Amino acid sequence: MAMLSVKDLQVYYGSIHAIKGVSFEVNEGEIVTLIGANGAGKTTTLHAICGLVKAKAGEITFCGQNLRTTDPHKIIRLGLAQVPEGRRIFARMTVQENLEMGAYIRKDKSGIDEDYESVFKRLPRLKERRKQIAGTLSGGEQQMLAIGRALMARPKMLLLDEPSMGLSPLLVNEIFEIIHDVNRSGVTVLLVEQNAKKALSIANRAYVLETGTISMSGDADTLSRDEKVRKAYLGG
Ligand code: ATP
């Protein structure tokens, strides 16, 4: 059984039919990427999974639980953590406090302390800046913090919405290396990206979203060699 399964998802914003029957699956251990142009419906799909927008129809299950009938704040407790578009860190809090917020659902103090250490080990720049006000971090550091904060919930699966947004190519490489590394440590990943080249380079499988429908899917290597994908998403 897939860890996350989305079947025939339909989402409307008023009369705008934003998601028109999207289906996909993410299996335990995978990195799956949802690629697509601006406005294709990537963020809406993630928001529907997390309960931030209401689906009109379709099935969304995570580890056997129906997410459509699960309160959004309970979804994190099932082991599904998100790294939202634009990071959404708490700008006036310190790095350390942001990480603490990520662990707010947990009570296992010793486990939390272990996870601080593992987050700081994976993201040493956060350790150096643990007392710094998060709003003064660079864009790349804020993205690292958003990832670190999500990891503090000890998730089974991480949902990432355009982690490359607004970052220099060097930092994009660094962030993708971190995501790959997090996956190798046992966290399943659903990655939404406009940067199809980078996303396909670390993903096992991919789905192409076009104006609210899945137009293509397959393993990431095959898709990155596909003529249509190359022309539309990889700059020829
Ligand atoms: P981007 O990369 O720009 O975030 P996306 O692929 O994530 O693009 P969505 O943000 O999911 O796309 O948008 C899908 C469609 O739904 C677009 O046509 C968008 O204009 C529309 N849409 C998104 N949010 C709203 C909203 N709150 N109200 C009305 N329409 C919306």
Side-chain angles (χ1 to χ4, degrees):
M1 195 178 64
M3 191 176 227
L4 175 71
S5 157
V6 174
K7 273 194 203 138
D8 205 19
L9 180 68
Q10 309 271 351
V11 181
Y12 288 80
Y13 293 108
S15 61
I16 298 169
H17 196 179
I19 301 295
K20 307 166 190 165
V22 160
S23 301
F24 63 94
E25 289 186 337
V26 184
N27 299 305
E28 185 168 2
E30 285 188 308
I31 299 182
V32 169
T33 185
L34 215 55
I35 56 176
N38 234 316
K42 305 182 298 298
T43 299
T44 302
T45 302
L46 285 193
H47 282 181
I49 294 170
C50 298
L52 299 177
V53 301
K54 220 170 147 40
K56 177 101 177 178
E59 286 172 31
I60 308 171
T61 51
F62 176 71
C63 296
Q65 299 273 336
N66 178 355
L67 292 192
R68 283 192 63 199
T69 54
T70 306
D71 284 343
H73 70 275
K74 292 202 176 125
I75 289 176
I76 180 85
R77 290 177 201 273
L78 301 176
L80 187 62
Q82 58 158 332
V83 181
E85 184 171 25
R87 4 271 190 217
R88 309 249 169 170
I89 52 148
F90 302 106
R92 293 194 191 154
M93 294 184 180
T94 64
V95 166
Q96 173 90 28
E97 286 163 347
N98 268 271
L99 294 176
E100 279 167 20
M101 294 303 286
Y104 81 99
I105 57 163
R106 298 172 57 186
K107 295 205 167 65
D108 56 323
K109 177 141 188 354
S110 66
I112 294 172
D113 288 342
E114 259 173 47
D115 287 355
Y116 277 129
E117 284 321 307
S118 79
V119 164
F120 284 144
K121 206 163 156 207
R122 180 171 279 133
L123 305 164
R125 280 210 242 166
L126 294 186
K127 186 169 189 176
E128 292 160 22
R129 292 169 171 75
R130 64 203 295 170
K131 301 222 166 71
Q132 191 171 324
I133 297 296
T136 66
L137 296 172
S138 73
E141 289 158 1
Q142 290 190 12
Q143 187 63 63
M144 287 174 201
L145 180 56
I147 293 172
R149 182 181 57 185
L151 290 176
M152 288 303 296
R154 228 183 239 197
K156 297 189 184 96
M157 185 185 288
L158 213 52
L159 304 183
L160 296 121
D161 194 352
E162 280 189 46
S164 75
M165 195 169 66
L167 302 183
S168 69
L170 214 62
L171 272 168
V172 171
N173 286 344
E174 201 174 326
I175 293 293
F176 273 73
E177 203 35 64
I178 290 164
I179 296 166
H180 208 176
D181 192 50
V182 166
N183 172 254
R184 282 188 285 246
S185 75
V187 181
T188 305
V189 171
L190 174 60
L191 170 65
V192 157
E193 259 299 339
Q194 268 193 66
N195 188 336
K197 192 170 183 182
K198 286 307 295 182
L200 289 171
S201 77
I202 64 163
N204 303 104
R205 292 188 306 110
Y207 294 85
V208 179
L209 199 56
E210 261 176 51
T211 56
T213 55
I214 303 282
S215 60
M216 267 187 278
S217 63
D219 71 71
D221 284 344
T222 312
L223 276 186
S224 52
R225 284 194 302 268
D226 182 275
E227 195 61 30
K228 270 189 283 176
V229 172
R230 296 182 71 88
K231 274 216 178 95
Y233 301 102
L234 302 174

